[in-house]
């Protein structure tokens, strides 16, 4: 992987909330935003993971404002409170950026063998969780909150997957959830464009994260996967975080309702 470009201060004075921000792509995105000046709040269901992630982020970005909150992304009240706490961490009292990265994997079974309850759980976390977080964030960004002054503007990035654009055999539950994430970003992008909120999805291919390590650590499996990627390797979370940061920045001011593929050419 080539060395990263030097960081800027393009998020100085802005506040960001990252769900699923304690590991993988979410953690990388939180760190990227913090290093570029944002006051960052990460959310996870696991309180212990929040504690460890908050310390890791503070160590890696010592000059940034960082906090971690244990909350369920599928709970509207919990996410409304998380958004309020994230907004309060900054100097403006508002939220500028949401990165919704919380998600779970599918069962990895043939469609006839999938458990309906597990199927529902995958959609609940991977689609409802993005919707609930996105709705709470957008209400703050558009000023649609009791007692808050009217103002508008912000950027929301939903972490989807190339599985939302191209079906992978044996992953009907995960594919369906990520397809839902892509269409959710497109729908929210259209609905919120007139209020200054941009919404996009990022669609990674294979990325080396805790969720994928189980099979990427197998040399034969990794060789097979790499053979189907024109660039010849899986991505590092930092590479996805760079695209997320771009979409959250003013440099992407004319991009909304889009699904940006970051897969090394796998689906080209």
């Amino acid at each position: 992987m080539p060395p990263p470009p030097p960081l800027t201060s393009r998020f100085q004075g802005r506040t960001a909330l990252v769900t699923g921000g304690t590991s993988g792509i979410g953690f990388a995105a939180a760190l990227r935003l913090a290093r570029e000046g944002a006051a960052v709040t990460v959310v996870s269901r696991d309180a212990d993971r929040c504690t460890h992630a908050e310390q890791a982020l503070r160590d890696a970005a010592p000059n940034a404002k960082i906090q971690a909150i244990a909350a369920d992304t599928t709970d509207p009240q919990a996410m409304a409170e998380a958004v309020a706490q994230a907004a309060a961490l900054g100097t403006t009292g508002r939220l500028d950026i949401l990165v919704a990265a919380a998600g779970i994997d599918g069962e990895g079974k043939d469609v006839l063998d999938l458990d309906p309850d597990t199927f529902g759980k995958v959609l609940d976390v991977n689609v409802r969780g993005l919707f609930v977080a996105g709705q709470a964030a957008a209400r703050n960004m558009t000023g649609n909150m009791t007692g808050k002054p009217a103002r508008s503007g912000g950027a929301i990035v939903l972490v989807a997957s190339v599985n939302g654009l191209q079906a992978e055999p044996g992953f009907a539950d995960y594919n369906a959830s990520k397809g839902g994430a892509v269409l959710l970003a497109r729908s929210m992008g259209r609905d919120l464009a007139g209020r200054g909120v941009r919404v996009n999805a990022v669609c990674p291919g294979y990325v080396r994260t805790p969720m994928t390590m189980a099979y990427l650590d197998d040399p034969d499996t990794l060789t097979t996967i790499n053979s189907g990627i024109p660039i010849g390797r899986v991505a590092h979370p930092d590479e996805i975080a760079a695209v997320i940061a771009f979409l959250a920045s003013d440099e992407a001011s004319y991009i909304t309702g889009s699904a940006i593929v970051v897969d090394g050419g796998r689906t080209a």
Side-chain angles (χ1 to χ4, degrees), residues 80-94:
E81 292 172 1
V83 165
Q85 291 182 61
L89 187 64
T91 58
T92 63
R94 57 160 294 162

Side-chain angles (χ1 to χ4, degrees), residues 84 139-140 142-151:
R139 283 175 172 162
N140 179 284
T142 60
N144 186 18
M145 300 178 71
T146 302
K148 297 291 184 180
R151 79 268 197 231

Side-chain angles (χ1 to χ4, degrees), residues 224-267:
T224 299
I225 288 172
N226 286 342
S227 69
I229 302 172
I231 285 182
R233 62 175 176 82
V234 300
H236 188 276
D238 289 348
E239 294 176 290
I240 313 304
V243 178
I244 292 171
F246 164 70
L247 290 172
S249 76
D250 292 341
E251 296 169 73
S253 59
Y254 200 60
I255 304 176
T256 197
S258 291
I260 308 301
V261 176
V262 192
D263 69 351
R266 176 184 160 203
T267 58

Side-chain angles (χ1 to χ4, degrees), residues 34 36 53 64 68 77 83 94 107 125 142 154 158 174 198 209 213 222 226 250 255:
E36 293 199 45
Q77 183 60 40
V83 165
R94 57 160 294 162
E107 280 195 278
V125 175
T142 60
L158 308 184
Y174 188 75
R198 296 182 300 102
T209 68
M213 293 298 271
L222 181 59
N226 286 342
D250 292 341
I255 304 176

Side-chain angles (χ1 to χ4, degrees), residues 2-220:
L7 297 178
T8 69
S9 299
R10 58 183 166 175
F11 300 117
Q12 195 68 43
R14 300 191 186 184
T15 55
L17 175 64
V18 183
T19 69
T22 59
S23 67
I25 293 171
F27 181 86
L31 180 56
R32 179 69 183 245
L33 294 170
R35 282 179 165 172
E36 293 199 45
V40 177
T41 300
V42 297
V43 169
S44 171
R45 291 185 180 187
D46 190 314
D48 289 337
R49 292 178 67 175
C50 282
T51 300
H52 293 144
E54 181 174 321
Q55 188 58 56
L57 288 168
R58 289 183 186 277
D59 291 343
N63 296 322
K65 291 183 178 180
I66 304 287
Q67 68 178 347
I69 299 170
D72 182 351
T73 59
T74 67
D75 181 339
Q77 183 60 40
M79 288 313 302
E81 292 172 1
V83 165
Q85 291 182 61
L89 187 64
T91 58
T92 63
R94 57 160 294 162
L95 185 69
D96 300 292
I97 299 163
L98 168 70
V99 179
I104 59 174
D105 205 355
E107 280 195 278
K109 295 180 179 179
D110 181 84
V111 67
L112 300 184
D113 298 322
L114 288 174
D115 174 38
D117 290 337
T118 303
F119 187 95
K121 180 180 179 181
V122 173
L123 265 67
D124 193 42
V125 175
N126 293 359
V127 183
R128 176 185 164 89
L130 300 190
F131 165 72
V132 170
Q135 186 182 63
R139 283 175 172 162
N140 179 284
M141 292 172 179
T142 60
N144 186 18
M145 300 178 71
T146 302
K148 297 291 184 180
R151 79 268 197 231
S152 64
I156 296 174
V157 183
L158 308 184
V159 177
S161 168
V162 292
N163 287 58
L165 305 171
Q166 183 182 77
E168 181 177 0
F171 284 91
D173 47 2
Y174 188 75
N175 298 339
S177 72
K178 293 304 182 177
V182 169
L183 264 295
L184 178 61
R186 294 191 187 280
S187 299
M188 292 181 69
R190 292 192 68 104
D191 284 356
L192 296 171
R195 282 165 278 184
V197 178
R198 296 182 300 102
V199 186
N200 293 289
V202 62
C203 298
Y206 286 108
V207 184
R208 190 171 289 279
T209 68
M211 193 167 76
T212 62
M213 293 298 271
Y215 53 88
L216 292 182
D217 280 346
D218 177 69
D220 292 336

